[in-house]
Amino acid sequence: MATSPPQNPSSGDPSDASSLTAAALDVPARAWKSLVSRLPPLPDTSGLLAAVSDLQRRYFGVPRRRRRRRAALPLPLRPAAAHSARIAGEMPKAFVILDDVVQHTLTNLHSIHKSLLFWQAKAEGTNSQKVYFMIFERGPRAFVDATYQTLTRLGSNGRPVQYILHSASDTVSTKLAALASMQHCLAAFLAEIHSEVDRCREGLTANSDKSLHTLFIVLNTTFSKLEVSFRNAGKGQDELFTHDGNSYELFGKLPEVDLESQEWTESLLTDGISLIYENLEKLDSFLSSQLSSHKKPNRLTIYWLPYTCGALGLSVCSLWLLHHSSLMGSPDIDNWIQDAKESVAGFWDEHVEKPIISIRDELFETFKQRDKGVMENQEVQLTEDSLRRMLVAFCEQTEGRKLPEDLPVQAMLETLTKRYEKELVHPIQNLFSGELARAMLIQIQKLKLDLESGLLEMDQILRANAINFAVLAALPAFGLSLLLLMLLRTWIQRDHGAEGRGNIARCQRRLLLVDVERRLMEFQHYRDNGMEEEARCKFGLLLYTLDRLCKAVESHAKETGEWLRLREDIFDLAKLDMGLPDKMVVVSRLRWMYNCLLPFSSSRLPRL
């Protein structure tokens, strides 16, 4: 078989040239890879905090705290005995333990739900948002890895953007699948607890020993089914639900000794209750280990780049200020502070204080001297009396008779006008020998009276509007105060979700009601088709949504006096013995009858 001779690299083969170019471009990629390999692994913050908490609890007697969601939706235990026990405040141990188990489950479901919402939002984002997330919102180590992959793809004539998008799709789909599996298991577990409690309610509300015996049987059934669901879910995704690669029983088995047996002792009860809480701790630990790689990143991880840039900018500013401070022997900062003080004082004096004082003096100088008005009533009265005397004397002399005392001024003015018109026929003659000059002087007195009356009315109007000018001068301060109050109200009501008081919170509460309606229909659909496992999961999600709805509307319904009726309607939706048509009627009543669940445009109703 003939062999081809080796080719000379200098022969100008295009393939050799492209390989040399790829090797040259691969140098920075290898440098990035070397840098990544030398980076120390990021510490597990949750593990560190857990270790510190454990040390405090062990050596300083600090009890371990757990953030618990407030109880909202109760268990289906509402006979007379249980209700009277709740009212009396003497809750049986079985009730307390069941409430703890349910609240642990709801808390874990809430954590999974928040992570699911985050990853669903990322899955529905645009391509640019996915690329930005994969590069800049997963922490510095992911940023270095993405940069290395981009340089590698560029060096091999690949398409880095398509690679990042494909990686983002794989990452998001993997996390969504894992979270959906955990949500399915916990929802089925919650539904199983409710169904078992509803089935064994008579034993749970009996005397203390019998209720605890029934409780052990119920929890053994539910915990064993939860472990089976975990293992079944882990068959398709081994990396999600295996613990150190070993197969073992996750939950301890509670004692199911007969009540009449001699083995049923107080110590057995204590050990059984302790084992229940140990199982809860194991459940929390197991879910935390699974959620650690699939939960949504914390705020520091998402915004690490802006925080880093801000920290760098703050460091540069601090060094620059230190260079110009008195610690380094420089008087620059002191001089700048003094200049700033003078500038602010000058601005306040020239553009705020003096204009306000000037406006105040111009507006209120007249009102401060109320005893020195433009015109007084006494002056107007004197002018009016003088005009009346002049008219009486003129009319009596003209008509040659005594006038009545109650004769109005208008009648005398008519007489004066007629006489004045007659005198104007011979103005020059009557000016010297007639009554024309006297009539003109009386008319001047009348004009004086009219002028003084007008000035008096204007003075009264100005005095009456002094409060209006004061309010006008205070409008800027009032507007600024109103703006500050609105900002404070917005800041106080932020991040309350469906429990808030704004239009967005009201919409979120109505969306919770929509979720309740949809899950009711899904539960009934799977139940009618004989898909018991899916139906159980949907019922558990229904219970979780009802718990969120109950928590969201409680404070608002108490303010309007609707809480008792609203709570009973929400409790009815969690009953297993109520049919779908009746529940849909309840949902319709919730949507249109309660103020806290009405649309924003129709919510202005009087309180009950």
Side-chain angles (χ1 to χ4, degrees):
M1 183 176 181
T3 60
S4 60
Q7 298 179 359
N8 190 357
S10 62
S11 61
D13 192 351
S15 61
D16 291 339
S18 61
S19 63
L20 289 175
T21 304
L25 291 174
D26 194 49
V27 172
R30 289 199 302 269
W32 278 111
K33 186 174 182 180
S34 177
L35 177 61
V36 171
S37 62
R38 286 179 170 82
L39 285 175
L42 295 176
D44 187 0
T45 307
S46 60
L48 178 61
L49 293 177
V52 172
S53 176
D54 186 67
L55 287 175
Q56 288 181 340
R57 182 173 56 86
R58 183 179 302 175
Y59 295 104
F60 299 100
V62 179
R64 177 181 295 177
R65 299 183 187 180
R66 177 179 175 82
R67 185 178 180 181
R68 300 282 301 280
R69 300 180 74 248
R70 177 168 50 86
L73 192 67
L75 291 167
L77 290 170
R78 302 308 295 247
H83 188 59
S84 61
R86 290 178 184 273
I87 295 177
E90 300 175 356
M91 293 292 294
K93 290 182 180 180
F95 291 4
V96 176
I97 295 171
L98 282 172
D99 282 339
D100 287 341
V101 173
V102 170
Q103 293 311 314
H104 271 79
T105 309
L106 289 173
T107 302
N108 290 319
L109 272 175
H110 192 61
S111 300
I112 295 172
H113 178 73
K114 291 193 297 183
S115 298
L116 272 173
L117 291 180
F118 176 81
W119 292 116
Q120 286 172 357
K122 294 302 177 184
E124 296 172 0
T126 61
N127 289 338
S128 59
Q129 291 174 343
K130 292 178 181 178
V131 171
Y132 184 83
F133 170 74
M134 292 297 293
I135 297 177
F136 298 109
E137 292 186 348
R138 295 191 301 144
R141 192 178 185 87
F143 171 74
V144 174
D145 290 338
T147 305
Y148 165 71
Q149 294 294 338
T150 302
L151 292 176
T152 303
R153 297 285 169 179
L154 287 174
S156 60
N157 295 326
R159 296 175 11 180
V161 176
Q162 295 299 325
Y163 171 78
I164 293 176
L165 289 175
H166 181 70
S167 177
S169 300
D170 289 343
T171 301
V172 173
S173 60
T174 300
K175 294 182 183 298
L176 285 176
L179 292 170
S181 298
M182 285 187 281
Q183 185 187 53
H184 183 279
C185 296
L186 286 179
F189 175 66
L190 182 62
E192 190 67 29
I193 289 178
H194 270 253
S195 61
E196 289 293 327
V197 168
D198 184 67
R199 184 176 61 86
C200 305
R201 68 168 64 186
E202 296 298 331
L204 290 171
T205 55
N207 58 66
S208 178
D209 290 344
K210 186 176 180 180
S211 65
L212 288 176
H213 180 264
T214 307
L215 174 67
F216 291 164
I217 297 174
V218 168
L219 292 183
N220 269 335
T221 303
T222 54
F223 275 119
S224 62
K225 290 184 178 180
L226 177 62
E227 185 169 352
V228 170
S229 64
F230 278 156
R231 296 188 184 281
N232 291 336
K235 289 180 181 179
Q237 296 173 341
D238 295 334
E239 70 277 11
L240 295 180
F241 298 102
T242 57
H243 188 81
D244 297 335
N246 298 321
S247 178
Y248 71 103
E249 290 188 0
L250 182 61
F251 304 113
K253 187 174 179 59
L254 299 174
E256 296 184 2
V257 180
D258 190 5
L259 286 173
E260 304 299 330
S261 175
Q262 295 181 355
E263 298 180 4
W264 184 264
T265 59
E266 189 68 28
S267 61
L268 182 67
L269 290 178
T270 305
D271 293 340
I273 295 173
S274 300
L275 186 57
I276 292 174
Y277 285 97
E278 287 179 8
N279 288 340
L280 290 179
E281 291 294 332
K282 290 179 180 179
L283 176 61
D284 292 339
S285 177
F286 177 77
L287 292 175
S288 298
S289 65
Q290 303 302 323
L291 281 174
S292 61
S293 57
H294 300 289
K295 66 181 180 181
K296 76 171 190 176
N298 56 32
R299 190 177 182 85
L300 183 62
T301 302
I302 295 176
Y303 299 105
W304 72 272
L305 188 59
Y307 290 163
T308 302
C309 295
L312 290 176
L314 184 61
S315 301
V316 171
C317 291
S318 301
L319 292 175
W320 184 77
L321 290 175
L322 181 63
H323 178 70
H324 291 277
S325 66
S326 58
L327 295 175
M328 304 298 292
S330 175
D332 293 343
I333 293 182
D334 296 335
N335 295 335
W336 295 338
I337 293 175
Q338 186 64 30
D339 293 341
K341 287 181 179 179
E342 294 176 358
S343 300
V344 171
F347 178 83
W348 178 266
D349 184 62
E350 294 294 332
H351 298 283
V352 178
E353 187 175 3
K354 285 184 178 180
I356 290 177
I357 293 176
S358 176
I359 294 173
R360 183 199 63 187
D361 294 341
E362 291 291 337
L363 288 176
F364 301 112
E365 176 119 7
T366 304
F367 309 114
K368 288 181 179 179
Q369 302 176 356
R370 294 182 179 269
D371 56 337
K372 298 180 180 180
V374 177
M375 187 59 58
E376 297 295 335
N377 288 326
Q378 293 82 359
E379 297 179 10
V380 178
Q381 188 65 37
L382 288 175
T383 303
E384 185 178 0
D385 294 342
S386 176
L387 176 63
R388 182 177 183 82
R389 288 192 300 268
M390 293 171 66
L391 286 172
V392 169
F394 181 82
C395 292
E396 287 180 350
Q397 183 179 354
T398 302
E399 297 181 358
R401 64 183 180 88
K402 184 72 172 178
L403 298 178
E405 295 182 357
D406 57 348
L407 184 67
V409 175
Q410 187 64 30
M412 292 186 287
L413 285 175
E414 291 178 0
T415 303
L416 174 66
T417 303
K418 292 178 181 178
R419 183 67 180 180
Y420 181 72
E421 292 175 354
K422 186 184 292 185
E423 294 288 330
L424 282 177
V425 176
H426 303 285
I428 297 178
Q429 178 183 354
N430 293 329
L431 183 63
F432 295 100
S433 61
E435 301 293 336
L436 183 59
R438 188 178 180 185
M440 293 175 64
L441 291 175
I442 293 175
Q443 288 185 359
I444 291 174
Q445 184 70 8
K446 178 65 171 62
L447 291 175
K448 178 186 177 185
L449 176 62
D450 293 340
L451 179 62
E452 289 180 352
S453 299
L455 291 176
L456 179 62
E457 290 179 0
M458 184 174 293
D459 187 63
Q460 291 175 349
I461 291 173
L462 291 174
R463 292 183 179 182
N465 283 276
I467 185 63
N468 296 337
F469 287 113
V471 172
L472 182 64
L475 277 180
F478 177 75
L480 183 60
S481 302
L482 184 61
L483 179 62
L484 292 176
L485 286 176
M486 291 177 61
L487 293 176
L488 181 63
R489 178 175 176 269
T490 304
W491 180 77
I492 291 176
Q493 293 186 354
R494 80 191 196 284
D495 293 336
H496 287 290
E499 298 181 50
R501 295 183 175 275
N503 190 21
I504 297 178
R506 184 177 292 273
C507 291
Q508 290 182 359
R509 291 195 292 271
R510 291 181 62 82
L511 288 177
L512 284 176
L513 196 58
V514 171
D515 290 340
V516 168
E517 184 177 7
R518 186 179 70 251
R519 282 168 179 166
L520 274 172
M521 298 176 66
E522 292 174 348
F523 166 69
Q524 191 65 34
H525 170 73
Y526 287 123
R527 193 176 187 180
D528 293 341
N529 292 331
M531 305 170 66
E532 294 298 330
E533 184 65 27
E534 293 296 330
R536 191 180 300 111
C537 173
K538 294 302 178 182
F539 184 70
L541 292 177
L542 171 65
L543 294 174
Y544 167 67
T545 309
L546 288 175
D547 180 79
R548 291 180 59 201
L549 179 63
C550 193
K551 181 181 176 184
V553 302
E554 180 177 357
S555 59
H556 305 282
K558 285 181 177 178
E559 290 179 0
T560 57
E562 302 169 330
W563 172 238
L564 295 179
R565 299 181 184 90
L566 178 58
R567 182 179 60 182
E568 291 301 325
D569 282 343
I570 294 177
F571 291 171
D572 288 342
L573 294 177
K575 292 180 179 179
L576 292 170
D577 54 353
M578 180 180 286
L580 180 63
D582 295 335
K583 290 186 177 181
M584 297 306 293
V585 171
V586 174
V587 171
S588 179
R589 183 165 63 242
L590 288 174
R591 179 179 288 114
W592 299 112
M593 292 300 297
Y594 295 102
N595 186 33
C596 56
L597 291 172
L598 287 175
F600 182 75
S601 58
S602 305
S603 63
R604 303 187 181 278
L605 298 175
R607 294 187 177 183
L608 296 179

